[in-house]
Amino acid sequence: MTDRTSHNPNRRGLLSVASVGLGAGMAAFGGAQAATLPAPQAQHRADVIVIGGGMAGCSAALEATERGASVIVLDKAGRLGGNSILAAGIFALPLGDSAAARQDFAREYERIGQGRGNAEIFALMAEHVRENIAWLERNGVAFGPEGVSAPFRVAVRNVGPGAWRGMPVLFQAMRERIEARGGRFDFGVKARELVMDNRGHVVGVRAAGPDGLVDYLGRTVVIAAGGYAANTAMLEAFADPNAGALMVRGYRGATGDGHRMAEAAGAGLRGMGGMMALHIAAVDPDSTAAGQPAFAIPHAISINRAGERFVDESRGYVAHGKAVLTQPQGLTTLVFDQRIAEIEAVAGVVGNFRRLGLDVHQADTIEALAAKVGLPPEATAHTVNAFNAAVQDGAAPGASPPKRTLARKVEQAPFFALHPLVPGITLTFGGVMTDTSARVLEADGRVIPGLFAAGEGAGGAFFEDYIGGGALTMCLVMGRIAGRSAVA
Ligand SMILES: Cc1cc2nc3c(=O)[nH]c(=O)nc-3n(C[C@H](O)[C@H](O)[C@H](O)COP(=O)(O)OP(=O)(O)OC[C@H]3O[C@@H](n4cnc5c(N)ncnc54)[C@H](O)[C@@H]3O)c2cc1C
């Protein structure tokens, strides 16, 4: 179905400017704005051009091919999946299939984002994620059973065969389905700028591939190029002058290319400013992607180099990660006892750390555990005792700092420590402005015709804090919407 490489500019008559001869270079676009690079010799054509083969791009491509469109997915990497393929594979969904559960889900994301996330996107996620997971299942992707992301009113499902192992399997299945419907992937091809016709419609992408510059021309373009966690200059400009020094947990190609291309075509950006635009998690430095104890943190206590607690761990792993940034030496130790280790979510983390060959320190007393991980034994024991004394009915309001929920005494040997945990950027929150149809908007709300965006770099969904599984759900839901809109 995909119309393969074409050197005949008028072949499909997709462009209103075709009559003036595309082969003649940029002037041929009759005032095309975005493309400033020299005219390439080769062109490829399809109905929809997707930039980026991560969760959002593949969702858009699969949806568009299902609707009968020809699709080319460009990816500058030599492989599929961007950050998505490195993910744990957790998708967030409402706690049930009811209107109340959907409302709870959206409200949890709004609440944790201090009311400054994108409520429209949260509502779309709540509305569509269950059906979209079923859609992936129909397309050969297996999911595990539902769990709860305590203490939030949010459920989670992992891509099969389980955490940290499922995403490559998901991408294999999605790729097969997209290709079976005539879609195509061009790897090692970097989109450099968007091509507009003289009506101001986005009609393609000028890209650099192994054979030099190539134009990918379509009826519409979907930007799904991910975030900017690996772009030092963007982090320093938008988040914080020191943010460029932060460890990056994931994919080095997350350089905000989509943000910049869209901006050059007139798009507005939202939610990019300050540290509230970053997702920070404290992880094991020997495995910055998978050495991530998110589901254990709310149940355990986190102790800094001075032997003190410093955050309400039950606020979740992003609030925890951001709090670690300001601690001595910028690291922390997660401490729990045998009973806490038996909680399913914590046992899963411990099992994963062991599978990865990461340290799970263990001792029969808190003092001995502290000595093993270089914490001051007396101060650490004092902190644990004071915390235990403050635990009442699952909370520790009198502890310093208080723990609102999921508080359990740390008193049953053996004691465990995950150490060291250091903060790193997982994903970036801000993105290209879009509407509920994933159409890209200018800062004043005008639609840029022909241009759609989805995924980590679009919509500005999250702000400041985050509940695990939200990003993949957002990429799936908004990617699919972008694919549908791009065909419509
Ligand atoms: C270690 C880790 C674990 C995570 N685990 C989870 C999880 O379990 N659940 C969850 O919800 N979220 C998780 N996240 C976050 C989530 O994975 C990402 O937010 C999400 O995968 C982003 O998907 P995307 O499709 O927007 O971008 P990506 O998956 O990053 O895909 C973007 C693609 O665009 C390509 N690209 C970029 N620029 C260009 C260009 N100029 N030309 C051509 N191609 C280009 C890239 O090569 C890349 O393949 C995790 C993140 C990390 C780092």
Side-chain angles (χ1 to χ4, degrees):
M1 289 210 309
T2 301
D3 189 358
R4 308 291 173 179
T5 304
S6 161
H7 291 269
N8 174 353
N10 294 322
R11 188 159 161 211
R12 292 188 61 164
L14 284 169
L15 303 174
S16 65
V17 293
S19 57
V20 293
L22 283 169
M26 279 319 301
F29 285 97
Q33 298 174 14
T36 54
L37 296 166
Q41 292 311 304
Q43 293 169 350
H44 301 263
R45 286 168 180 270
D47 295 331
V48 182
I49 310 296
V50 179
I51 305 172
M55 189 66 222
C58 285
S59 301
L62 184 54
E63 176 69 19
T65 54
E66 275 191 356
R67 287 170 181 266
S70 59
V71 176
I72 302 176
V73 181
L74 315 181
D75 203 297
K76 67 179 178 181
R79 60 155 176 86
L80 260 190
N83 255 330
S84 309
I85 207 165
L86 306 176
I90 299 157
F91 286 70
L93 60 163
L95 269 171
D97 194 7
S98 66
R102 288 189 281 278
Q103 196 174 57
D104 271 359
F105 175 93
R107 283 197 181 149
E108 280 289 69
Y109 277 97
E110 280 174 47
R111 181 183 63 78
I112 202 149
Q114 301 172 6
R116 294 182 61 187
N118 190 327
E120 287 180 337
I121 290 186
F122 299 147
L124 289 169
M125 288 161 64
E127 190 64 30
H128 297 297
V129 61
R130 283 184 176 276
E131 155 50 19
N132 285 351
I133 286 178
W135 173 68
L136 287 178
E137 286 175 328
R138 291 196 294 278
N139 278 291
V141 179
F143 277 83
E146 255 177 70
V148 177
S149 179
F152 306 108
R153 296 186 57 71
V154 166
V156 282
R157 283 187 83 180
N158 249 108
V159 178
W164 306 107
R165 289 169 291 150
M167 291 306 284
V169 184
L170 169 144
F171 277 109
Q172 183 62 31
M174 288 187 92
R175 180 176 180 173
E176 278 169 20
R177 296 301 164 113
I178 292 165
E179 288 179 337
R181 296 186 176 104
R184 166 177 134 199
F185 292 89
D186 280 11
F187 293 109
V189 176
K190 181 170 181 172
R192 293 207 170 272
E193 45 192 23
L194 299 171
V195 177
M196 269 185 183
D197 68 11
N198 54 9
R199 299 168 303 164
H201 289 214
V202 172
V203 291
V205 178
R206 187 153 292 177
D211 303 321
L213 289 180
V214 182
D215 273 350
Y216 287 81
L217 302 175
R219 283 196 288 129
T220 50
V221 172
V222 177
I223 297 180
Y228 59 94
N231 187 321
T232 304
M234 281 180 80
L235 290 174
E236 289 172 353
F238 287 109
D240 183 273
N242 295 311
L246 285 167
M247 177 257 286
V248 178
R249 292 184 55 212
Y251 170 53
R252 303 290 144 167
T255 46
D257 302 7
H259 300 65
R260 286 182 296 158
M261 278 183 278
E263 226 191 347
L269 299 176
R270 77 172 266 175
M272 304 275 298
M275 291 297 286
M276 48 284 260
L278 301 185
H279 177 304
I280 307 279
V283 298
D284 190 305
D286 286 338
S287 178
T288 59
Q292 205 270 83
F295 289 116
I297 289 167
H299 300 280
I301 58 175
S302 188
I303 297 190
N304 69 13
R305 290 285 86 194
E308 293 165 348
R309 287 181 61 245
F310 53 92
V311 65
D312 176 351
E313 299 84 352
S314 72
R315 286 176 56 204
Y317 75 121
V318 177
H320 174 261
K322 289 189 171 178
V324 178
L325 282 175
T326 57
Q327 297 310 301
Q329 297 175 37
L331 64 85
T332 194
T333 306
L334 200 67
V335 174
F336 47 96
D337 71 354
Q338 176 58 36
R339 265 191 242 138
I340 295 171
E342 287 165 8
I343 297 169
E344 198 181 338
V346 182
V349 167
V350 170
N352 184 50
F353 267 53
R354 290 195 168 126
R355 185 178 63 82
L356 294 168
L358 302 175
D359 288 330
V360 180
H361 306 274
Q362 185 173 334
D364 286 333
T365 64
I366 286 291
E367 287 85 348
L369 186 73
K372 270 192 175 176
V373 298
L375 285 171
E378 243 177 65
T380 305
H382 175 77
T383 294
V384 172
N385 291 337
F387 176 78
N388 287 346
V391 173
Q392 262 180 358
D393 302 328
S400 176
K403 192 167 180 183
R404 195 178 56 85
T405 182
L406 300 178
R408 282 181 176 235
K409 292 185 182 182
V410 182
E411 60 180 1
Q412 174 72 55
F415 299 99
F416 301 92
L418 303 183
H419 172 89
L421 300 178
V422 299
I425 306 177
T426 315
L427 61 128
T428 48
F429 288 159
V432 174
M433 279 173 61
T434 50
D435 66 8
T436 51
S437 303
R439 297 183 298 180
V440 173
L441 305 178
E442 298 189 24
D444 61 10
R446 259 168 239 247
V447 171
I448 301 179
L451 187 60
F452 302 84
E456 189 178 321
F462 306 107
F463 182 87
E464 173 66 6
D465 204 346
Y466 168 89
I467 304 168
L472 288 179
T473 288
M474 192 252 296
C475 291
L476 167 62
V477 169
M478 295 311 296
R480 200 174 170 198
I481 288 174
R484 188 178 318 141
S485 301
V487 172

